[in-house]
Amino acid sequence: MTTRVLSGIAFAVVGVLLLCTGLATTLISTGGDAGACRPTTGVTPLAFPAARSPASGGIGPIGDWNTEQVGNAATITTVGMRLGVPPRGWLIAVATAMQESSLINTPGGDRDSVGLFQQRPSQGWGAPAQLHDPQYAATTFYQRLQAVDGWPAMPLTEAAQRVQRSAYPDAYARWEPDATRIVAALTGVSAGPAACQATVSAQGWAQPVHGDVSSAFRTAARPGHNGVDLIVAKGTPIHAASAGTVTVVRCNAVNVRTGRNWGCDRDGDPALTRGCGWYVDITHLGGVITRYCHMLAHPIVAQGQQVAAGDVIGVAGSSGHSSGAHLHFEVHLGDHTSGTAVDPVAFMASVGASLKQ
């Protein structure tokens, strides 16, 4: 995919991404430790700022950064979104590219350095042609960043240096204000280093997201609605409601006109699509099962994986039968079928993790 196309995608979707400033460690592979970001009991969830879409007319200059440079920052941000990296990672990546290349996709540099991040083939980053592809370069940066234990809580310059191994380790810090400005301009959101925490009740349960309930359980208008819809922005981290085993990771999105797969790596449609989109089921003690639907991208957990209460399992989106970004959350007592579904509002209140009303 070209940089121009990626920049267009970024402009179209990044404006409504990630209102959550509480950041979480996510992993690129589905087999990693989703529990790297652990909750802290008694921490009050942060308030979310209002969303704002970028101005129309394409990605233009921001401050002292021209259209080409901002377009490359948008590409870096879009790749991070596609990989499920939270916004703190976007900020670190953009600031790193500012220092390394001034956000210009250069064909060369010091010694054998190449591209936006001035990565070196001789150090195992990839072939020169690969490193000159902004999508590849950003992907490799995020992969190495995610391998750094505790990176979301680190100062930007420390996290960047752990990835880049620069001869000037303190240089990245100077770009944090500009990177913050560009990420905020593209997304309407601050990607500052907020706490990666979820509140866990004494009974061991946590809110999956901190969003208002917009559609209740089995109303007269929607008698087959087996859960509740929690309104959050695209990209908001979704937390496991309690400790358990991941028993389902699936894409379920069907085109109602053709009966064929609609796909889950794009938004669904309330009239044209049926299904949960990307979703996860977790089985907890006592036969309780929780379900998390309409994720933005492939969940960051795998079937059979053990998770703790508050672990991040994916990010919110609008895949499947959906009219906008939200988390559809279900609770089942006994099995995965609709016959065992119970009202999540009443259940979560009973375990000390009341959903926001």
Side-chain angles (χ1 to χ4, degrees):
M1 186 178 293
T2 66
T3 301
R4 185 174 182 180
V5 171
L6 271 169
S7 297
I9 293 171
F11 185 76
V13 302
V14 171
V16 291
L17 291 176
L18 286 168
L19 298 187
C20 180
T21 56
L23 305 178
T25 301
T26 57
L27 301 176
I28 292 170
S29 67
T30 59
D33 176 16
C37 178
R38 293 293 183 184
T40 298
T41 301
V43 176
T44 302
L46 298 173
F48 302 142
R52 178 184 54 74
S53 298
S56 61
I59 300 176
I62 296 176
D64 295 329
W65 303 91
N66 64 30
T67 299
E68 177 186 1
Q69 292 167 311
V70 174
N72 284 328
T75 297
I76 292 168
T77 302
T78 301
V79 171
M81 177 270 291
R82 284 182 171 275
L83 296 174
V85 178
R88 179 63 176 168
W90 305 354
L91 177 60
I92 294 168
V94 170
T96 300
M98 286 176 169
Q99 168 62 24
E100 296 294 345
S101 69
S102 296
L103 286 173
I104 300 296
N105 187 27
T106 59
D110 179 51
R111 287 172 282 189
D112 60 338
S113 299
V114 179
L116 287 172
F117 295 91
Q118 289 293 281
Q119 295 153 332
R120 297 179 60 191
S122 62
Q123 294 181 341
W125 285 93
Q130 291 176 311
L131 299 178
H132 197 245
D133 174 1
Q135 184 181 14
Y136 177 92
T139 298
T140 57
F141 179 87
Y142 286 124
Q143 287 173 333
R144 295 201 183 189
L145 177 66
Q146 297 276 43
V148 175
D149 186 39
W151 67 266
M154 291 179 180
L156 183 148
T157 192
E158 180 180 347
Q161 172 63 8
R162 293 280 293 273
V163 176
Q164 294 290 110
R165 306 294 183 183
S166 170
Y168 304 97
D170 298 324
Y172 301 108
R174 63 176 292 202
W175 301 111
E176 185 161 3
D178 278 15
T180 300
R181 181 179 182 184
I182 286 181
V183 170
L186 291 172
T187 67
V189 167
S190 168
C196 178
Q197 296 170 332
T199 302
V200 179
S201 72
Q203 295 97 317
W205 288 78
Q207 292 181 356
V209 294
H210 188 63
D212 291 324
V213 175
S214 71
S215 185
F217 177 78
R218 292 181 179 170
T219 62
R222 302 183 69 187
H225 194 236
N226 294 321
V228 294
D229 292 344
L230 303 169
I231 300 303
V232 290
K234 275 186 177 179
T236 299
I238 298 169
H239 302 268
S242 189
T245 302
V246 176
T247 44
V248 176
V249 175
R250 184 184 173 199
C251 168
N252 178 23
V254 178
N255 188 324
V256 298
R257 295 171 298 183
T258 65
R260 296 179 180 175
N261 181 34
W262 176 276
C264 292
D265 291 323
R266 60 169 175 154
D267 285 351
D269 185 280
L272 301 178
T273 317
R274 67 173 182 267
C276 232
W278 282 120
Y279 79 96
V280 167
D281 283 2
I282 300 174
T283 300
H284 311 279
L285 289 175
V288 178
I289 294 167
T290 53
R291 177 169 294 167
Y292 313 77
C293 296
H294 308 307
M295 292 188 185
L296 178 66
H298 193 294
I300 62 169
V301 290
Q303 279 187 217
Q305 183 174 335
Q306 301 295 310
V307 294
D311 282 356
V312 176
I313 61 174
V315 292
S318 189
S319 58
H321 180 74
S322 175
S323 59
H326 70 286
L327 170 66
H328 174 83
F329 177 61
E330 298 182 9
V331 177
H332 295 252
L333 303 181
D335 60 31
H336 301 259
T337 65
S338 61
T340 65
V342 298
D343 186 351
V345 171
F347 177 86
M348 293 298 284
S350 74
V351 293
S354 296
L355 301 176
K356 186 179 177 183
Q357 298 290 299

